Each structure stands twice: as C-alpha cells, then as structure tokens.
Amino acid sequence: MELYSPEYFMNEALKQAKIAFEEEEIPVGAVMVCRNRIIARAYNQTEKLTDVTAHAEILAITAASNSLGAKYLTECELYVTLEPCVMCAGASFWAQLGGIHFAASDPRRGYGRLKEGVLHPKTKISRGLMEKESKALLDAFFKKLRN
Amino acid sequence: MELYSPEYFMNEALKQAKIAFEEEEIPVGAVMVCRNRIIARAYNQTEKLTDVTAHAEILAITAASNSLGAKYLTECELYVTLEPCVMCAGASFWAQLGGIHFAASDPRRGYGRLKEGVLHPKTKISRGLMEKESKALLDAFFKKLRN
C-alpha cells in the first residue's frame, strides 16, 4: 500500500477549498483520513445549503461517521485548510478525533482564541502545513468579494 | 393570533426530548420559534444517525434555516431542554440567534463552563424554565442506562 504524506492530504483538502471558491463559498476544504485513506472530502457549503452549520469540518465528520458506521473517529485525522471555529472544535470533541491538521490560522474566529481547551484530550494538533496556499486562496476570495 | 407563552414552547421542546427518550437517545429536545410560531422541532439523534453533530440544536438550526430560506436567525428563539454544548453554542453564534432559552444546566458539557463568551452578542439567554421536568427525564434516562 502506498503511504501518503501529510502534504498530499492537505493538498487534497486545498482542492476542496478551491471547489468552494469556484462556487462562491468562503474557500475552506477538508478531508478525513483513516489509516492512510481518505474516507471523506468536504468543502464549506453554508451559502448553497443556506445553513451556517455546513462548514467543511462538520460535513466531513458527518460523512466519515457515515462511511465507517461509527460515531467516534479516534482513528481519524482531519486535514482542513483553515483553523476550525468553536462550533467545529466542539464537534471534533464529541467525535474524539485522533488529530487535526490545519493550514492557515484564524485569530478572529478560530477555536484557539479561547484560553480554555475545547478539544478532546486525545486530539493531536498540527498547524501551518500549506498555510501560504490556503491563505492566498482566502485572500483572493475576500478581495473578489470586496470588488 | 393566539400568543403562546415561553412555558408552552418549552413544553413543546420537552415533548421532543421525550421522543428522544423513547428512541433511546439522550433526551434533549428543541423547538425554534419565530414570531410566536414554531418553525422547527428536533431531538437528539446522535445514535440513530451515527453522527455526533446531530444534536437537537444543530438539527433545529438547520431545519429553521431551511424553513425560512435564511442563514441568519436573528428573529428566532431556540427553546432547548438542556444547556447547549460548545458545538451548539458555536452554531448559534454563526446563526446570530435572537435568543436561547434552556431548561436544565449542564455544568460539565455546557458552553457556560467557558469563561469567555462564545455566543453572539445579539443572543439573549434565559435559563431554568421547566428545569425540574427536563432534569427528571435526563436522570431517568441515565438511571435506565446504568441498569
């Protein structure tokens, strides 16, 4: 079995973010990885679904649980192009996610602004992978929105 | 038009919690009220849907947005039988909910354990309405689970 790198997975998440961009959604994408395999892909669809809960992370958790037939995702790692918000961090707590890798930070709306931990103690965090690419996509989106 | 009381709405939320109880879900129920009318009813379905994000509040927000065709629920008030968790509080932030009324408190998993505000500044909170009834239902559920 081919072993994929974190860069490969984050690039797949970035592809999802690019689909969001094309569909005029805030460009955030995610993939859920379980034992070196992508079991769910999702991008932000809050506009299309008229639903503030349709963040890439929430859709990826729901799809991954559906794929595995399991509520808890302790063996799964989420690759997401932007730091999760409080809602999504709270969802990852309930799912007991094995790990979250996020690209760009979100100082304003990211869960990291909270002083107290909201993640599950089992959830390992890594940040900054392909940050530049994710940020460039977000910046391009907001620039286009302003014009 | 008949004007309904907060007790009426919370009792409707409690009816949803009772459906959850019957279906062996943690008994939490919610209704979304917009201009004195219930536009969504939901109960916790995390077991049935194998999805940790299927809390009553999330389902009610999604259903209400669908009903109104609007992402923001500034004119809506959520009646829910248990204090929302961090995930659901985060969802209510994005929805800019007009108000949340919750019955029982949840010192362990409720958003209130966080020292920093996670709700939207527009969201008014009231607590304790029909707390006793909601707590009795939750206690009965966990007692049954242990036996």
Side-chain angles (χ1 to χ4, degrees):
Chain A
M1 189 173 78
E2 194 178 347
L3 272 177
Y4 296 108
S5 65
E7 286 74 14
Y8 170 80
F9 292 128
M10 191 60 88
N11 195 48
E12 292 300 302
L14 205 60
K15 284 183 192 168
Q16 292 295 307
K18 285 172 187 164
I19 300 172
F21 184 93
E22 293 303 323
E23 298 188 3
E24 298 183 357
E25 301 274 359
I26 295 177
V28 182
V31 298
M32 190 73 80
V33 175
C34 188
R35 300 178 184 186
N36 194 43
R37 201 167 61 85
I38 294 177
I39 60 167
R41 296 167 198 267
Y43 57 92
N44 175 39
Q45 297 195 46
T46 49
E47 294 302 325
K48 191 199 274 180
L49 300 179
T50 319
D51 183 353
V52 295
T53 75
H55 282 193
E57 300 94 316
I58 299 283
L59 300 176
I61 288 171
T62 298
S65 286
N66 195 41
S67 162
L68 295 178
K71 258 184 6 174
Y72 301 118
L73 304 172
T74 51
E75 310 267 299
C76 297
E77 304 205 351
L78 182 72
Y79 288 77
V80 57
T81 59
L82 183 64
E83 179 182 340
C85 71
V86 171
M87 171 180 73
C88 293
S92 81
F93 173 88
W94 290 120
Q96 302 183 14
L97 270 188
I100 300 175
H101 307 256
F102 63 83
S105 292
D106 187 355
R108 204 156 151 260
R109 294 289 175 228
Y111 77 91
R113 74 174 178 85
L114 299 174
K115 286 189 190 72
E116 293 147 296
V118 290
L119 299 176
H120 196 278
K122 285 180 192 160
T123 307
K124 294 192 185 82
I125 297 294
S126 87
R127 67 190 77 204
L129 185 62
M130 301 185 74
E131 178 172 12
K132 207 191 288 182
E133 291 85 342
S134 170
K135 217 176 159 306
L137 193 64
L138 286 158
D139 288 348
F141 177 82
F142 288 110
K143 194 177 166 186
K144 198 172 121 187
L145 204 66
R146 278 191 303 269
N147 293 343
Chain B
M1 189 173 77
E2 194 177 348
L3 271 177
Y4 295 107
S5 65
E7 287 75 15
Y8 169 79
F9 292 128
M10 190 61 87
N11 195 48
E12 292 299 302
L14 204 60
K15 284 184 193 169
Q16 293 293 309
K18 285 173 185 163
I19 299 173
F21 183 94
E22 293 302 324
E23 299 188 3
E24 299 183 356
E25 302 275 359
I26 295 178
V28 181
V31 299
M32 190 74 80
V33 175
C34 187
R35 300 178 184 188
N36 194 44
R37 200 167 62 86
I38 293 177
I39 60 166
R41 296 167 197 265
Y43 57 92
N44 175 39
Q45 297 197 46
T46 50
E47 296 301 325
K48 191 199 274 180
L49 300 179
T50 320
D51 184 353
V52 296
T53 75
H55 282 193
E57 299 94 316
I58 299 282
L59 300 176
I61 288 170
T62 298
S65 287
N66 195 42
S67 161
L68 295 177
K71 261 185 1 174
Y72 301 119
L73 304 172
T74 51
E75 309 268 298
C76 296
E77 304 206 350
L78 182 72
Y79 288 77
V80 56
T81 59
L82 183 64
E83 179 182 340
C85 71
V86 171
M87 170 180 73
C88 292
S92 81
F93 172 88
W94 290 119
Q96 302 183 14
L97 270 188
I100 300 175
H101 307 255
F102 64 84
S105 292
D106 187 355
R108 205 159 149 261
R109 294 290 175 227
Y111 76 90
R113 73 173 180 86
L114 299 175
K115 286 187 191 73
E116 292 148 296
V118 290
L119 299 176
H120 197 278
K122 284 180 194 162
T123 307
K124 295 194 183 80
I125 297 294
S126 86
R127 64 192 77 205
L129 184 63
M130 300 186 73
E131 178 172 12
K132 207 192 287 183
E133 291 86 341
S134 171
K135 217 177 159 306
L137 192 64
L138 286 158
D139 288 348
F141 177 82
F142 288 110
K143 194 177 167 186
K144 199 171 120 189
L145 204 66
R146 280 192 300 271
N147 292 341

